[in-house]
Amino acid sequence: MVVPRVQAAIATAFGEEFRQTDPVVRPSQFADIQINAAMALAKKVGLPPRDAAAKIVEALNLDGICTSVEISGPGFINLSFDGTWIEELLNAESVQAASPATAVTPAATPQRVVVDYSSPNVAKEMHVGHLRTTVVGDSLVKVLEALGDTVIRQNHIGDWGTPFGMLIEHWLEIGEDSPEAALLVEDPSAFYQAARAKFDASATDEDGFATRARLRVVALQGGDQETFAVWQRLVAQSKRYFNAIYSTLGISLTDDHIAGESSYDAHLAQLCQELEERGLARISDGALCTFPAGFTGRDGQPLPLIIRKSDGGYGYGTTDLATIRYRVRDLEANRILYVVGAPQNVHLRMVMATARDAGWLPETVEAVHVQIGNVLGEDGKILKSRSGAPVKLMALLEEAVDRARAVIDASRPELSEAERAVTARQVGIGAVKYADLSTGHDTEYVFDFDRMLALSGNTGPYVQYAAARIRSILRKAGVLEQITGDGGTPAAGTPAAEASGGPATAIAVVEPAERALALHLLEFDATLNKVRDALEPHRLCGYLFELAQLFTTFYDQCPVLKAEESVRDSRLALCALALRRLSGGLELLGIETPENM
């Protein structure tokens, strides 16, 4: 709320080069918030921290905002806000009830952002490793879009290369109408493994399956019509499987967002030629490579990025260079986000460095690897099934829903069968997604259903329950339908009357618990901007978890339904705004808000 004013004061006190300094806002036991920027600035500006804090306070204009600005300790700046100012801001947010729950103030400088995420492989099962790239990427695009960025989703699927000779030959052998062909949608790993088994078993047979598979790769790359037609059917079948996963997870990716490796095949030869002509690529051990500065192997020798293999084929490096060039030149991106596993970091940095050397990635365009850490089992190793194979994503999601259903059946037997089924899906899928998103995307976490589905702690069900609890309060007050827009016209004097143009109930902030909840509600936009800047969805999870906690404290200490009428209406309006922020925040995480829990 006051960050721009604090940054302006810092610029006035120490110069424009310090304007973007993080004010380091923290909770304070002595005031509403504490500004700790002076501690970090002191050495840079050559002053003791307390003197630096004094210069910031001297330049700080908080008239009408704060009742008290004090320096404490070695240089902490404590701010106590004016209650009237809090109420004005809060009521300004409250009158947005007719707009979507995710409506926020747009970012000052909207950008055109390409987000590369999910990226499964054709004819292969999506496993738990794909969960994080898919869920984190989809949450980021939702937040960026809410803040006014133009977002271009890119699902860079693996749909080209050597394995497709093997897969196409297997398809031709078994026939399109065979039960085995249906595995591409039902169990892609089984289809792939059957083809692989044939390939390995015939590796030394000159006229066997492996030989035919290799020739099939040549035919595919050469544009053979029959081979290409089969490849198209393989891709189409895999899309059906991908879409089943995306539908279950509530992911916004569609077929229109697919931009697979095959999209760039026609441009790879010319790309290699251009790099050679510019003196950026040379032959090394038979392969064409670039050697971007700053990358060395364990032996201290320059690390190569292979862009054309010794056999004349192309790899990930070539395709990724063509991709980044396309995203800058054709999609006109200001920012490119690669939501990709952490092990790909060196590769992606080498691609970005080569692209910058070639002039395809200008300094005006930001390219970021949003590193995704591994999902671990209880043994601390990458999560696998009991057989040692990667855990299939669909099986994992189905188990999450089944576990949630068991809990809901036991706790809410009065709900109808249909209501329990819907709630189980919302809670189960929400629990998995929230557990993923609430962890820093570049760190590992242990997959634990019991913890994910718990109604206590920083979990999806805890936040969902807080929202469901507010719905129950508003339902008992007889105003839920007006507030949520589910039907009826808001009556004058109700917390949602402004939705139909009637007089709105003003929110009064009196009690400490009301004040704490109100201040946190006002931080929603700032939190989303932090997510946008740092590309860290866990910041939004942390905000929603704290909001749920603050609401619980507020409800325990401030009676709502039993309060006198004026106080009751004010607190119902505060409840409505809390519900708006909880449901809106969950929606930006890609998580639904249950009606009942």
Side-chain angles (χ1 to χ4, degrees), residues 372-395:
I372 303 298
N374 292 321
V375 182
L376 308 178
E378 294 180 359
D379 58 0
K381 299 178 181 179
I382 293 177
L383 184 65
K384 295 184 181 294
S385 65
R386 291 180 180 178
S387 66
V391 174
K392 296 178 180 180
L393 185 50
M394 185 62 85

Side-chain angles (χ1 to χ4, degrees), residues 149-403:
D149 287 326
T150 299
V151 179
I152 303 170
R153 294 163 173 79
Q154 293 264 278
N155 193 355
H156 189 71
I157 65 172
D159 64 350
W160 204 246
T162 304
F164 282 89
M166 176 182 76
L167 296 168
I168 292 169
E169 195 64 25
H170 178 54
W171 175 278
L172 287 169
E173 284 196 357
I174 62 176
E176 181 175 358
D177 297 325
S178 68
E180 290 88 346
L183 290 173
L184 264 173
V185 177
E186 299 167 6
D187 189 357
S189 291
F191 182 91
Y192 182 89
Q193 289 163 5
R196 184 86 237 181
K198 282 184 182 180
F199 187 91
D200 292 342
S202 60
T204 59
D205 185 352
E206 292 185 3
D207 299 318
F209 179 86
T211 299
R212 295 196 301 276
R214 293 188 185 98
L215 293 173
R216 191 62 66 178
V217 175
V218 177
L220 176 63
Q221 294 177 344
D224 176 72
Q225 290 187 357
E226 180 193 28
T227 304
F228 187 73
V230 174
W231 172 82
Q232 287 180 309
R233 288 197 287 273
L234 288 175
V235 173
Q237 289 287 76
S238 286
K239 286 180 181 178
R240 289 175 56 197
Y241 165 72
F242 299 154
N243 289 334
I245 293 285
Y246 296 150
S247 176
T248 302
L249 268 175
I251 299 299
S252 63
L253 286 169
T254 68
D255 289 353
D256 291 338
H257 302 128
I258 289 177
E261 295 170 351
S262 62
S263 307
Y264 309 97
D265 186 62
H267 307 286
L268 302 185
Q270 182 271 334
L271 180 147
C272 291
Q273 180 181 345
E274 188 173 335
L275 288 172
E276 279 191 284
E277 291 173 349
R278 294 187 180 195
L280 296 172
R282 60 182 173 83
I283 300 296
S284 176
D285 294 329
L288 184 65
C289 308
T290 66
F291 293 85
F295 297 91
T296 56
R298 293 181 179 178
D299 57 1
Q301 296 300 308
L303 199 62
L305 176 67
I306 299 174
I307 60 171
R308 189 178 65 223
K309 301 175 184 177
S310 57
D311 63 2
Y314 304 109
Y316 296 125
T318 335
T319 306
D320 288 338
L321 281 170
T323 302
I324 206 166
R325 183 172 66 171
Y326 168 75
R327 290 169 178 171
V328 174
R329 288 184 180 179
D330 296 76
L331 299 182
E332 300 178 334
N334 306 122
R335 197 180 194 194
I336 306 172
L337 310 181
Y338 291 84
V339 187
V340 179
Q344 297 298 315
N345 181 253
V346 172
H347 168 78
L348 284 174
R349 287 193 292 118
M350 292 179 72
V351 167
M352 293 171 190
T354 297
R356 291 207 187 276
D357 290 341
W360 302 332
L361 182 62
E363 293 298 329
T364 54
V365 177
E366 180 187 20
V368 183
H369 178 197
V370 183
Q371 298 186 53
I372 303 298
N374 292 321
V375 182
L376 308 178
E378 294 180 359
D379 58 0
K381 299 178 181 179
I382 293 177
L383 184 65
K384 295 184 181 294
S385 65
R386 291 180 180 178
S387 66
V391 174
K392 296 178 180 180
L393 185 50
M394 185 62 85
L396 180 146
L397 298 176
E398 290 171 349
E399 183 176 353
V401 175
D402 289 343
R403 285 174 176 254

Side-chain angles (χ1 to χ4, degrees), residues 83-84 86-87 90 507-516 518-519 570 574:
T84 302
I86 294 173
E87 291 174 355
L90 204 62
I507 300 175
V509 178
V510 179
E511 299 297 330
E514 288 176 317
R515 187 183 183 93
L519 286 172
S570 168
L574 189 58

Side-chain angles (χ1 to χ4, degrees), residues 32-52:
D32 288 317
I33 62 170
Q34 187 177 85
I35 305 297
N36 295 346
M39 312 296 290
L41 278 170
K43 185 175 290 186
K44 295 178 183 178
V45 299
L47 291 172
R50 193 173 177 91
D51 291 350

Side-chain angles (χ1 to χ4, degrees), residues 7 28 72 110 238-239 248 349 412 440 521 579:
Q7 289 179 319
S28 172
S72 66
S238 286
K239 286 180 181 178
T248 302
R349 287 193 292 118
R412 297 298 305 273
L521 287 169
L579 175 59

